[in-house]
Amino acid sequence: MKSPHANRRLQALSTLDGLGQIDDSLLAAALKDAHPAVRRHAIWLSEPRLLQEAVQLRLLKMAVPPDPDAQVRLQLACTLGQWRDPRAGAALAEMLVHDASDPYLVAAVMSAAETHVQWILPGVIRHGANPTRHLPLVKELLPAALAAEEEAVLAETLNELTSRVGEEGRLWRWKVLQRLLKELDRQGESVGDWSRASGEDLQAAIPKLGPLFDAARQSAPDPSRSTEERVLAVALLGHGLKKQTSDFQRLRDLLTLDTIVEVQLAVIDRLAD
């Protein structure tokens, strides 16, 4: 394993594995090898040892911050997906956000979503910010979370969505919320229906969406806000647990010549729902 040639180090690692002679120190060194092919193979060799804490910590260190090589990250995602643990799920979420444009890594993480969605989805909401790159991930994960009917997963997702207040990241949180509302609508449910059918944890989390709806009520009629923000705010009005009647009056009040066309069209679409 001390050869200056990566192919020889890789061959030695494979031979020692076949002989059952790989010990902890050798595997640790291989995971830090300068060549990505050696690191990738060492990750694969770590899979039978996933219950060992030392191996877990080494793999997590390779995930966050992410390894510079895409193939190493792909193997790491596949390996972490076999370890059902909150730390693995959190690491997979960060890897997913980092490599959202890599279809192979996205597929690898999504294959683990069935057993890790309770950690991956909140993590994507926490670390995501780019709607173009990250909203498709939420779109794919939300149905899995709702279908699982695990209220702890959904409660944690809402808690993460509402954990930050203020304008920073507001559009991102609104777009995630809009995606959630569309999923509920697809299932024939409103936020109120969802709350009434839920258990204690989820019933406690759903009202926390209130400030997001309140911010939308302020932004929709505000001409100083961007067109994108106002259109998105309009789409949220009337969906909250409270103030639905006044929300629809706000929408009707926006149908005036003083309101820009894009917002008026959004209002018409919302009223037609």
Side-chain angles (χ1 to χ4, degrees):
M1 291 298 295
K2 295 182 179 180
S3 170
H5 304 287
N7 60 336
R8 292 181 181 175
R9 297 198 301 276
L10 183 58
Q11 185 178 26
L13 190 63
S14 299
T15 300
L16 290 170
D17 175 55
L19 295 172
Q21 296 298 312
I22 292 185
D23 59 21
D24 187 66
S25 61
L26 184 61
L27 187 59
L31 288 169
K32 296 179 180 179
D33 195 274
H35 199 279
V38 179
R39 297 198 302 276
R40 185 168 68 246
H41 193 60
I43 292 170
W44 180 73
L45 292 177
S46 298
E47 290 180 1
R49 301 170 171 83
L50 277 175
L51 295 180
Q52 298 177 17
E53 185 176 2
V55 173
Q56 296 169 357
L57 293 176
R58 292 187 196 112
L59 294 178
L60 291 172
K61 286 181 180 179
M62 295 183 75
V64 183
D67 190 277
D69 184 81
Q71 291 297 314
V72 172
R73 296 197 298 273
L74 176 60
Q75 179 59 60
L76 186 57
C78 293
T79 298
L80 289 175
Q82 299 182 47
W83 175 30
R84 197 174 190 278
D85 184 275
R87 293 170 294 171
L92 286 169
E94 290 201 46
M95 295 176 71
L96 190 57
V97 168
H98 180 272
D99 280 310
S101 58
D102 182 340
Y104 299 104
L105 187 134
V106 170
V109 176
M110 289 301 179
S111 70
E114 184 176 348
T115 54
H116 292 74
V117 69
Q118 64 265 52
W119 306 301
I120 295 176
L121 179 55
V124 169
I125 294 173
R126 182 182 308 118
H127 299 293
N130 185 321
T132 302
R133 297 180 66 227
H134 301 144
L135 198 60
L137 305 177
V138 174
K139 181 179 178 180
E140 191 166 348
L141 288 164
L142 266 175
L146 289 169
E149 296 184 349
E150 293 187 19
E151 293 199 355
V153 177
L154 297 168
E156 176 61 25
T157 298
L158 294 187
N159 287 333
E160 183 57 48
L161 182 60
T162 58
S163 63
R164 291 177 290 174
V165 296
E167 296 196 14
E168 182 182 357
R170 175 187 289 176
L171 289 185
W172 164 246
R173 298 196 300 278
W174 276 358
K175 289 186 177 183
V176 173
L177 175 57
Q178 184 184 37
R179 189 65 247 171
L180 172 61
L181 295 173
K182 287 183 177 180
E183 273 305 311
L184 289 174
D185 184 64
R186 191 178 64 83
Q187 298 182 12
E189 287 188 299
S190 66
V191 173
D193 296 332
W194 192 35
S195 179
R196 285 188 289 274
S198 299
E200 184 176 334
D201 288 346
L202 197 49
Q203 282 188 346
I206 290 173
K208 295 179 183 179
L209 295 171
L212 292 178
F213 289 114
D214 287 338
R217 295 181 182 105
Q218 295 177 2
S219 292
D222 187 348
S224 69
R225 298 291 182 173
S226 70
T227 299
E228 180 188 17
E229 181 174 343
R230 295 183 69 189
V231 167
L232 185 53
V234 163
L236 297 179
L237 294 184
H239 282 296
L241 286 174
K242 301 178 180 179
K243 304 180 181 179
Q244 292 185 354
T245 301
S246 58
D247 276 353
F248 283 107
Q249 185 58 53
R250 285 186 180 89
L251 290 169
R252 289 189 287 269
D253 290 344
L254 288 170
L255 294 175
T256 69
L257 293 177
D258 294 330
T259 303
I260 60 175
V261 172
E262 293 87 349
V263 173
Q264 290 195 60
L265 290 174
V267 169
I268 293 170
D269 285 343
R270 178 67 189 97
L271 292 174
D273 283 348

